[in-house]
DNA sequence: TTGACTGTTGCGGATTTCGCAGAGTCGGGC
DNA sequence: GCCCGACTCTGCGAAATCCGCAACAGTCAA
């Protein structure tokens, strides 16, 4: 038995919402190892994960369930949008006047908006847009985004080719 | 009956634009539906997926396996990097002189580089960097990226707050 | 020490995954 | 027209996995 695994720092301050962002609660080494296993293969059996991290199958299952419930991680299929029929993507840098966070929320409410991040630099926000074709992209950028109150100006970077896209955070 | 769903390929007039997706494999409506199911829950049982898309369990399993083998999709756990201990991220716009694709490959070879895309606009490349702390980020941007031959200049956008991050392409 | 709490383990039954053989369809070559 | 190969779907039995539950172990506070 790998019972040397005592899970000392087990008591995590339960803050289901804090895991969203801000100074998130720290995951212990075991949960991190579980996440790494699932980043390699999201369908890996619990027993195999347990063997790799030194836990029983049931323990892994409960930890995974909690990580999912807390929103710390999600297990999903990811694809290259181009392969799935979305032929136009763009990164859009946004200059904001006023409440940046409010604008970010407004942009994030759009379906075509895949990714929203507040940044330091010459842009206040960067958003990734996924569209079906040129007309769709044009409409989203010129009519929808610029119509949001607080958006002063935008700069678009249309995707020509996706070269790398990994999901291996923490596995280094 | 679900059996009406057979021989889908024959009824599918090949979309000429499909051939523009980097020579990738073409996806029919059924595979697309399977992907959507797995985007909602990467661990959903094959039988449940089959019921949803009108296929047998075994057929779903084979198609999923093929999609994975072909690299069309991957089933993975995704997390908010901040939660997993990577406290500094940045989007970096890169101006390139010479072979853009070669530079993209070089940047993509870096572990800290999570995302590389060739763009049209004032940047030739945009890369997302995931680091552990400020020193790490500084080193990656100032020493590693700018040391790549062909990189003329860069502009960094340090992440302040991740507002939205979804993986629901095609499920709208 | 006691008691509350959290996390882990072990186990049985239901469910799912897996591998394989058979049947149907489509398209090419003769 | 006919046969053949490639491909995909289906059905099914065996093996592995998932899931819920009750009991056990460790931590912390009173």
């Amino acid at each position: 038995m790998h019972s040397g695994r005592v899970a000392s720092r087990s008591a995590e301050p339960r803050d289901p919402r804090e895991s969203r962002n801000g100074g998130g609660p720290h995951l212990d080494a075991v949960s991190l190892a579980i996440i790494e296993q699932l980043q390699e293969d999201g369908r890996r059996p619990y027993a195999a994960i347990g063997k790799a991290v030194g836990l029983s199958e049931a323990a892994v299952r409960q930890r995974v369930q909690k990580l999912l419930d807390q929103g710390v991680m999600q297990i999903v299929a990811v694809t290259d949008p181009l392969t799935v029929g979305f032929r136009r993507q763009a990164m859009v840098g946004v200059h904001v006047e006023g409440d940046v966070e409010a604008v970010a929320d407004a942009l994030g409410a759009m379906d075509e908006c895949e990714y929203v991040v507040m940044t330091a630099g010459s842009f206040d926000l960067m958003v990734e847009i996924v569209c079906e074709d040129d007309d769709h992209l044009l409409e989203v950028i010129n009519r929808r985004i610029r119509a949001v109150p607080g958006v002063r100006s935008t700069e678009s970077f249309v995707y020509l080719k996706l070269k790398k896209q990994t999901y291996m955070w923490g596995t280094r």
Side-chain angles (χ1 to χ4, degrees), chain A:
Chain A
M1 270 303 157
H2 324 78
S3 51
R5 167 82 269 120
V6 236
S8 47
R9 243 172 324 289
S10 57
E12 297 179 27
R14 319 191 52 213
D15 264 64
R17 313 200 53 216
E18 211 181 15
S19 55
R20 203 59 185 154
N21 41 28
H26 336 88
L27 308 170
D28 62 22
V30 181
S31 289
L32 219 52
I34 292 176
I35 291 176
E36 288 181 16
Q37 292 288 317
L38 289 171
Q39 280 173 333
E40 290 177 18
D41 175 6
R43 272 182 170 261
R44 184 162 297 172
Y46 293 133
I49 298 173
K51 208 159 300 179
V53 307
L55 238 56
S56 72
E57 176 265 348
V60 172
R61 174 158 38 94
Q62 290 175 157
R63 288 179 92 122
V64 167
Q65 194 55 53
K66 197 168 75 170
L67 290 172
L68 294 174
D69 290 341
Q70 290 178 164
V72 174
M73 77 173 177
Q74 39 186 332
I75 300 176
V76 295
V78 293
T79 63
D80 177 357
L82 282 175
T83 313
V84 199
F86 293 94
R87 303 179 185 72
R88 287 295 176 270
Q89 299 174 75
M91 185 69 72
V92 179
V94 183
H95 299 281
V96 175
E97 56 192 356
D99 187 349
V100 177
E101 202 139 6
V103 174
D105 288 332
L107 295 177
M110 297 170 43
D111 281 342
E112 293 87 352
C113 189
E114 173 70 20
Y115 195 71
V116 178
V117 60
M118 299 169 56
T119 59
S122 68
F123 294 123
D124 300 300
L125 287 176
M126 304 206 71
V127 304
E128 190 183 53
I129 303 297
V130 179
C131 291
E132 294 172 20
D133 52 38
D134 289 324
D135 288 341
H136 190 188
L137 180 60
L138 188 66
E139 187 223 327
V140 168
I141 292 178
N142 279 351
R143 304 229 173 277
R144 312 258 301 275
I145 293 183
R146 290 182 179 164
V148 172
V151 171
R152 184 147 46 91
S153 62
T154 65
E155 183 170 353
S156 303
F157 306 92
V158 175
Y159 285 15
L160 298 178
K161 185 170 188 178
L162 185 59
K163 294 291 292 185
K164 182 183 184 183
Q165 180 186 31
T166 60
Y167 302 90
M168 292 295 155
W169 303 307
T171 63
R172 309 202 270 264

